[in-house]
Amino acid sequence: MADYTVHIVDDEEAVRKSLAFLLSMNGFAVRVHNSATDFLAFAPSISNGCLVTDLRMPDMSGVELLRALQAAHAMLPAIVITGHGDVPMAVEAMRAGALDFIEKPFEDQVLIDAIGRAAIQLQEAHSGANDITAIQARLKDLTEREQQVLSGVVAGHANKTIAYDLNISPRTVEVHRANVMAKMHAKSLPELVRMALAVKFNPG
């Protein structure tokens, strides 16, 4: 996509420069923004691009930024970078419209692949009906316990928390979670969360 631009939002200059160098070397046009507030003012003028933002920033968090973009009708495919302890917040970011979240530290290719998916999302028209139907069919194959575990995952709960809530061992949660990933054909936790949010999963 000739005019596709990756917008990097991070309050740390070293991180901005590092990501910009990585993406430029991989053929992407890049623009950096040193705060969420600065990007928010610029966002309405973007017609063809994606956002890569840190989750924790001093002026406005990644979640708050996504919500502000939605309110301004300036949403674009967004990838959130997060620390290991921020997964519940990252799930919240996906609820606010993020396409993906990536946990630090990450391989360069993981970010490049995520940006590629964002580009594809922009290119494709919404033909999600078949995808939704397939996801719903897979959900029906989950046992009641697997649905309960999935509900905890989508809520951003750690395995230990899910285990406590369901009165089972963390190891049993791991087994159920692996089964859920397999049955849902999810290759990663963000993909599993995306599927559940796409069909407004609620086990009741």
Side-chain angles (χ1 to χ4, degrees):
M1 299 170 70
D3 56 345
Y4 182 70
T5 302
V6 181
H7 296 268
I8 298 169
V9 178
D10 198 296
D11 59 299
E12 295 185 32
E13 183 179 6
V15 174
R16 292 196 303 271
K17 286 184 175 179
S18 175
L19 292 176
F21 178 76
L22 167 66
L23 298 177
S24 297
M25 292 298 292
N26 281 273
F28 293 104
V30 178
R31 181 158 183 165
V32 297
H33 308 265
N34 60 17
S35 74
T37 304
D38 287 350
F39 176 73
L40 192 57
F42 180 77
S45 66
I46 300 171
S47 60
N48 189 16
C50 79
L51 166 65
V52 176
T53 180
D54 194 26
L55 188 58
R56 291 185 179 273
M57 294 180 288
D59 69 324
M60 182 185 294
S61 74
V63 174
E64 291 169 336
L65 172 58
L66 294 183
R67 288 176 178 157
L69 289 170
Q70 283 186 329
H73 304 290
M75 196 62 184
L76 66 160
I79 298 152
V80 174
I81 297 175
T82 175
H84 285 294
D86 294 334
V87 170
M89 285 181 65
V91 171
E92 202 53 41
M94 294 188 75
R95 291 183 181 278
L99 174 68
D100 215 336
F101 69 84
I102 299 175
E103 291 182 76
K104 303 173 185 174
F106 55 85
E107 298 284 337
D108 294 349
Q109 194 60 45
V110 172
L111 178 59
I112 292 164
D113 289 346
I115 291 170
R117 285 193 296 273
I120 291 170
Q121 187 189 69
L122 278 176
Q123 284 179 310
E124 292 179 343
H126 279 294
S127 60
N130 290 336
D131 293 338
I132 297 298
T133 302
I135 293 169
Q136 289 171 333
R138 292 171 200 158
L139 281 172
K140 288 179 181 177
D141 285 338
L142 300 182
T143 66
E144 182 179 357
R145 182 64 88 197
E146 287 166 352
Q147 290 200 16
Q148 291 169 339
V149 169
L150 175 57
S151 180
V153 170
V154 173
H157 295 159
N159 284 356
K160 286 183 179 179
T161 303
I162 298 171
Y164 178 82
D165 290 343
L166 299 179
N167 197 28
I168 56 180
S169 73
R171 176 58 186 153
T172 303
V173 171
E174 288 177 16
V175 172
H176 285 309
R177 185 162 149 172
N179 288 341
V180 170
M181 296 279 286
K183 288 183 177 180
M184 295 300 295
H185 301 174
K187 299 182 184 68
S188 66
L189 176 59
E191 185 177 6
L192 180 64
V193 172
R194 272 200 305 274
M195 288 180 183
L197 295 179
V199 297
K200 297 178 173 61
F201 170 70
N202 184 352

